[in-house]
Amino acid sequence: MSSILAPYRVLDLTNAKGFLCGKILGDLGADVIKIERPGGDPDRSIGPFYHDAPDAEKSLYWLAYNTSKRGITLNIETADGKEIFKQLAKKADFVLESFPLGYLNQLGLDYAALTELNSSIIVTSITPFGQAGPWIDYKTSDLVACATGGLVYICGDADRPPVRITAEHAYLHAGLHAAGATLIAHYYCQLTGVGQHVDVSIEEAMVWTTMYAVPYWHTAQRLFPRSGNLQTRYGSTYRLMFPCKDGYVAVRAYTGLTFGPWQARLVKAMESEGMADDLTNIDWSALSFEGQTQEEIDHWEEVMRQYFMQHTKAELYEKARQYEFSLFPSNTPKDIVEYKHLVERGFWIEIEHPELRDSLRYPGAIFKSEPAFDQTMFRAPLIGEHNEEVYLRELGLSKSDLARLKRANVI
């Protein structure tokens, strides 16, 4: 089956705040043209780099989030650049942008101006705090968005200050929201012929990630506590993650009619190796954490810890499968790449990079369907790689025009 968005064109003006949105539309088959300023996007300087060689064409961050896009250079702050962009916008279906609020308005290229040229165009704006409200002129970063969105406060250990999640999250969540919202606007446009200005707030995208914590305040007037590797219930604290021989596994002590049998089967596995100590004497289904002393729970966990430390993650996972108790490996990035389940589902794809004389492994399609849509991905563009293809063959400019525009720093 053909690509689901193959007939549609996207003009992608975003920086790192919105790269993912264009990538998703491109991976689904849209003709995404990534527009960079002459010399290349400043976010090409974000590392890490291929073989640790700092180079605008070797930013692994940039490569990861700009697959399935063509690339042109264009200075939309110049008079010629504005006119060229307007020509492109007349035939485009979507414009994605993440400029500071008012920037495109100053250039005469905002939604109001573009809809005069193309009434069905959809302009998706990804900004730190949205298009309206008292914080609309504030800047952001991943840390700012995660902190004001509430995620940072609930991350970390109870007895220490809040921490951010190690990897960046905010821009990626905003990109996902933007892609979904853009496609909803597209559906509306297909029904009515009318375009839309889609307003995506990075901060609001982060608030969505704390939807289980916000109702906690609404219903109980209590702040959702930070607990790190621990969880506290009925006044007792128990572990959610244990060290093992080569890393960590996610597992906890279970009690009660529903989950107690899991714990009993874990103890049976431990007993088979003579490492269950006195845990074999406990009727886990008859127990509840309510009424247990912290000393008792600490003792259970110490016996469990000693058992886990004798095994690798893979060995413990196979024990869990064999004895049918709940335990999962805490995968490292290396583990994920080698993870049999993802490999056999064909999750990973290899994309050729002729300029590197190499191929790189990427996450594949964002979903699978039957019958399957074509979600063929190709590598991110080099700086200005498709200038001639777009400007000469599609807009009808001449090579002398191209040379003049290049000399004038328009392209």
Side-chain angles (χ1 to χ4, degrees), residues 107-144:
L107 299 180
L109 299 176
D110 62 349
Y111 174 69
L114 296 181
T115 198
E116 293 292 324
L117 303 171
N118 178 351
S119 61
S120 62
I121 199 161
I122 294 164
V123 176
T124 298
S125 297
I126 304 166
T127 53
F129 298 96
Q131 299 286 310
W135 282 32
I136 57 172
D137 293 322
Y138 286 15
K139 299 182 185 301
T140 195
S141 66
D142 182 78
L143 176 58
V144 170

Side-chain angles (χ1 to χ4, degrees), residues 234-346:
Y234 305 120
S236 299
T237 299
Y238 50 91
R239 289 188 169 279
L240 302 176
M241 193 76 71
F242 285 78
C244 65
K245 202 171 184 178
D246 62 347
Y248 294 87
V249 287
V251 60
R252 48 161 286 194
Y254 288 101
T255 61
L257 285 175
T258 302
F259 302 114
W262 291 0
Q263 183 72 8
R265 294 194 283 269
L266 165 61
V267 171
K268 187 176 180 181
M270 297 164 64
E271 185 181 20
S272 71
E273 298 178 44
M275 298 191 68
D277 200 348
D278 57 351
L279 302 193
T280 55
N281 300 326
I282 298 173
D283 183 353
W284 299 98
S285 296
L287 278 185
S288 167
F289 274 102
E290 188 176 15
Q292 304 305 309
T293 67
Q294 189 63 53
E295 288 72 20
E296 288 172 318
I297 295 171
D298 291 346
H299 170 66
W300 303 344
E301 293 180 340
E302 176 56 22
V303 176
M304 292 164 62
R305 188 193 67 80
Q306 291 181 19
Y307 173 71
F308 297 145
M309 287 300 294
Q310 298 304 310
H311 296 280
T312 65
K313 289 180 287 189
E315 290 168 350
L316 289 170
Y317 182 62
E318 285 307 311
K319 291 282 184 185
R321 285 163 51 89
Q322 180 184 353
Y323 284 88
E324 298 183 333
F325 59 85
S326 179
L327 178 147
F328 303 93
S330 176
N331 285 331
T332 65
K334 176 179 179 294
D335 296 332
I336 293 172
V337 170
E338 298 170 351
Y339 188 21
K340 181 180 177 182
H341 178 73
L342 294 180
V343 170
E344 294 196 359
R345 274 180 58 81

